[in-house]
Amino acid sequence: MMKLIEFLRVVFISPEMVASGLPFVISFYWPEPATFVGQQFVSDAKWAFGAATIPLGLLATTYAFGTDILSPSGVKKAVLLWPEYWKLKMRVIVALGFCLLGFIYGMLGVYLVLHQNLVWGATIVIAGLFLSAASLASVALAKWAIREILSD
């Protein structure tokens, strides 16, 4: 039960969710930037698909950082003995899921831009980018914190 509560906390009460929701709030009150981005995507669909696939690159980088965190070598193996290592592992796995979700947001947003609603489609693409970037930043900060703790 404790692991389920921790999982829900990591997913719903996280900087990634704030980063993902921010473009929607901004677009609701100030739609001009999303309109501009959407117009650029409509003028050349390559830009739209390029922006939508950026989360895959962020996913690969998050995977590399996460592997370094979860498969330590040398002195860093001490992290495996940490009683709350499972929380760290869950955090990395959720970050990978968020990056994949960012890619899905991107593809959905491209479809909306090209076929349905310009503003909301562009907003969804931007939200996917923010979600993936926040996930990468979270894992990168964890990696740096572990390095600082273990170097002392």
Side-chain angles (χ1 to χ4, degrees), residues 16 19 55 58 62 98-99 127-139:
E16 290 88 350
L58 298 176
T62 302
F98 278 149
C99 286
L129 291 170
F130 281 17
L131 177 64
S132 297
S135 297
L136 173 60
S138 177
V139 172

Side-chain angles (χ1 to χ4, degrees), residues 105-116:
Y105 274 17
M107 287 298 152
L108 175 65
V110 168
Y111 175 80
L112 288 175
V113 164
L114 298 177
H115 299 290
Q116 301 278 329

Side-chain angles (χ1 to χ4, degrees), residues 15-39:
E16 290 88 350
M17 282 295 127
V18 173
S20 177
L22 190 63
F24 293 102
V25 173
I26 292 172
S27 182
F28 182 75
Y29 291 106
W30 188 35
E32 288 80 15
T35 303
F36 175 75
V37 170
Q39 289 170 344

Side-chain angles (χ1 to χ4, degrees), residues 55-71 92-93 95-97 99-100 132 135-137 139-140 143:
L56 290 179
L58 298 176
L59 172 69
T61 307
T62 302
Y63 177 78
F65 283 173
T67 301
D68 190 42
I69 291 171
L70 299 178
S71 301
V92 170
I93 292 169
L96 292 169
C99 286
L100 188 60
S132 297
S135 297
L136 173 60
V139 172
K143 180 180 175 181

